[in-house]
């Protein structure tokens, strides 16, 4: 989801102060196997996934798409990590236009769907290439649908990221992580009152401690394979030391100082489909340059050091099968590879 102030609203919390509150996705149409309920059927090549590699919510969809082998069926548009007042922009593409959609700004797809839409323009965004209209910006549902509704287009031996027997447990674990970690770092970072910040800070580290305890004796969050729950945790953890520790003042400790979480994070980062989607240059430039209310100088820090990400993690000693009965994805398409110097 968009990390700009456009997509956050103030609201009363249970502790009685004005606080950060993430706005709900406005466009929640679903692309389903037959399209019977939504009118949007799964079709190869029909939809385009627009992301920012800086955004943790969009990164969920990037990872799911890679693990499931949907690159040939669902094309990818990547925005500039720096927005302007007209929203996410396609300045990384020739002539500043998305080569498939033909638009300069993601807001144009929103306008094609609903003229004068007053909310923020967020990623990930699923866009219909036939009409140019936005289909969905529902980051919570999108990856679940990729895992369950797009199965006819999955690669051979794709993993089951949302296995039916474990869905209730995955949902429960993911909900706590979303509330206290995924969104908790934003509640801390955008806090405008001390009490509000300290509550969010406490929530973040309480949940991280619980997760660390859970992962001390098991390789993955739910079951013995990678699931949706791991994807959702990874996208926050991978940004933690580079952004959230300093920029969002979540500074009790770094992830590298928690032996369990740091090993878990390295394990996933070294797994095909995870680290090969991460662009630390985009992540740092977006957060530090766009959030001028937090960082008015827009100076992007040189650190932290990127060494250590590829060191042995030894998590395989806990057992588990990363892809279950499936296999790892192959290398990313050449056009989607992260540039040299943007990742360890």
């Amino acid at each position: 989801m968009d990390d700009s102030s456009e997509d956050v609203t103030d609201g009363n919390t249970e502790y009685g102060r004005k606080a950060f509150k993430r706005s709900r996705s406005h466009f929640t149409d679903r692309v389903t196997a037959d399209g019977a309920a939504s009118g949007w059927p799964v079709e190869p090549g029909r939809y385009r996934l627009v992301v920012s590699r800086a955004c943790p919510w969009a990164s969920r969809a990037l990872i799911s798409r890679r693990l499931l082998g949907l690159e040939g069926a669902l094309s990818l548009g990547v925005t500039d990590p720096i927005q302007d007042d007209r929203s996410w922009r396609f300045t990384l593409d020739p002539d500043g236009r998305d080569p498939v959609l033909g638009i300069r700004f993601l807001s144009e797809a929103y306008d094609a769907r609903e003229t004068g839409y007053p909310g923020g323009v967020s990623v990930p965004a699923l866009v219909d290439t036939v009409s140019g209209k936005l289909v969905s910006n529902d980051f919570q549902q999108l990856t679940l649908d990729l895992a369950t509704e797009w199965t006819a287009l999955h690669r051979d031996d794709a993993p089951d990221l949302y296995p039916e027997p474990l869905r209730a447990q995955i949902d429960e674990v993911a909900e706590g992580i979303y509330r206290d970690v995924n969104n908790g770092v934003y509640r801390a970072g955008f806090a405008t009152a001390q009490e509000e910040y300290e509550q969010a800070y406490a929530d973040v580290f309480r949940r991280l401690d619980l997760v660390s305890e859970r992962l001390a004796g098991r390789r993955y969050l739910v079951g013995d394979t990678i699931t949706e729950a791991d994807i959702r945790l990874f996208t926050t953890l991978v940004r933690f030391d580079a952004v959230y520790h300093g920029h969002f003042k979540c500074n009790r400790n770094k992830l590298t100082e928690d032996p369990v979480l740091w090993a878990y994070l390295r394990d996933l980062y070294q797994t095909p489909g995870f680290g090969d989607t991460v662009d630390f240059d985009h992540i740092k430039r977006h957060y530090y340059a766009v959030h001028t209310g937090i960082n008015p100088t827009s100076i992007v820090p040189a650190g932290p050091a990127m060494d250590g990400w590829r060191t042995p993690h030894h998590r395989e000693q806990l057992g588990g099968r990363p892809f279950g009965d499936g296999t790892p994805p192959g290398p990313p398409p050449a056009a989607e590879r992260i540039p040299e110097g943007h990742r360890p």
Side-chain angles (χ1 to χ4, degrees):
M1 200 169 190
D2 187 349
D3 296 328
S4 74
S5 59
E6 285 185 309
D7 272 294
V8 299
T9 57
D10 288 335
N12 291 318
T13 67
E14 69 273 18
Y15 45 94
R17 289 187 181 273
K18 289 289 187 179
F20 170 91
K21 183 179 180 181
R22 184 169 298 282
S23 59
R24 294 182 178 180
S25 300
H26 182 72
F27 300 100
T28 58
D29 287 3
R30 296 175 59 194
V31 175
T32 58
D34 61 7
S38 65
W40 301 105
V42 170
E43 293 180 14
R46 176 169 178 179
Y47 305 98
R48 188 158 177 82
L49 176 66
V50 178
V51 303
S52 163
R53 292 193 184 275
C55 173
W57 319 107
S59 290
R60 297 178 177 186
L62 276 171
I63 294 168
S64 296
R65 176 177 171 270
R66 282 276 294 123
L67 295 178
L68 298 172
L70 289 170
E71 292 99 325
L74 176 61
S75 67
L76 182 68
V78 179
T79 67
D80 192 304
I82 307 300
Q83 301 150 281
D84 64 19
D85 57 4
R86 293 166 293 183
S87 85
W88 297 102
R89 51 191 186 164
F90 294 101
T91 49
L92 302 180
D93 294 306
D95 300 321
R97 289 185 182 276
D98 180 274
V100 172
L101 301 174
I103 58 178
R104 293 186 180 276
F105 299 94
L106 181 55
S107 58
E108 295 175 56
Y110 277 69
D111 289 341
R113 170 67 184 272
E114 182 178 315
T115 303
Y117 162 64
V121 175
S122 64
V123 289
L126 200 61
V127 181
D128 176 33
T129 62
V130 177
S131 64
K133 295 179 179 180
L134 176 75
V135 176
S136 174
N137 67 348
D138 189 350
F139 69 99
Q140 296 279 44
Q141 186 62 43
L142 176 58
T143 51
L144 301 181
D145 285 343
L146 292 181
T148 60
E149 297 290 336
W150 291 64
T151 53
L153 300 179
H154 289 181
R155 65 181 174 87
D156 293 339
D157 297 322
D160 187 351
L161 300 176
Y162 197 47
E164 192 164 358
L166 298 177
R167 287 180 187 177
Q169 191 177 355
I170 291 170
D171 292 346
E172 180 182 4
V173 170
E175 172 57 30
I177 288 170
Y178 170 77
R179 182 181 62 248
D180 297 333
V181 179
N182 301 146
N183 201 48
V185 293
Y186 284 88
R187 289 170 44 224
F190 286 107
T192 57
Q194 189 69 32
E195 180 183 1
E196 173 194 339
Y197 159 72
E198 291 182 3
Q199 179 64 58
Y201 174 100
D203 290 343
V204 168
F205 285 102
R206 175 181 55 81
R207 182 65 59 176
L208 286 179
D209 287 344
L210 290 172
V211 170
S212 183
E213 291 175 14
R214 182 182 184 92
L215 290 169
R218 57 192 304 160
R219 192 170 180 185
Y220 303 111
L221 283 169
V222 180
D224 66 350
T225 65
I226 292 167
T227 68
E228 177 77 15
D230 297 292
I231 295 171
R232 294 186 178 200
L233 179 58
F234 174 83
T235 60
T236 294
L237 295 190
V238 79
R239 289 162 171 77
F240 200 91
D241 287 5
V243 175
Y244 303 141
H245 178 272
H247 186 57
F248 279 178
K249 306 180 185 70
C250 294
N251 59 359
R252 190 195 73 179
N253 59 270
K254 294 180 178 178
L255 261 293
T256 53
E257 295 166 355
D258 183 309
V260 172
L261 291 180
W262 177 222
Y264 168 79
L265 181 55
R266 297 201 316 279
D267 186 3
L268 290 181
Y269 185 86
Q270 294 170 28
T271 299
F274 282 84
D276 54 31
T277 69
V278 176
D279 190 319
F280 282 108
D281 175 76
H282 280 208
I283 289 168
K284 289 169 60 177
R285 284 198 291 128
H286 170 74
Y287 280 90
Y288 286 100
V290 171
H291 297 163
T292 54
I294 300 174
N295 184 38
T297 64
S298 295
I299 293 173
V300 179
M306 289 286 99
D307 53 352
W309 284 92
R310 298 186 185 278
T311 58
H313 50 76
H314 306 298
R315 295 279 294 176
E316 67 279 355
Q317 297 174 7
L318 295 172
R321 303 172 300 145
F323 301 98
D325 295 330
T327 59
E336 296 180 14
R337 292 174 187 166
I338 306 300
E340 287 293 324
H342 288 205
R343 59 188 292 254

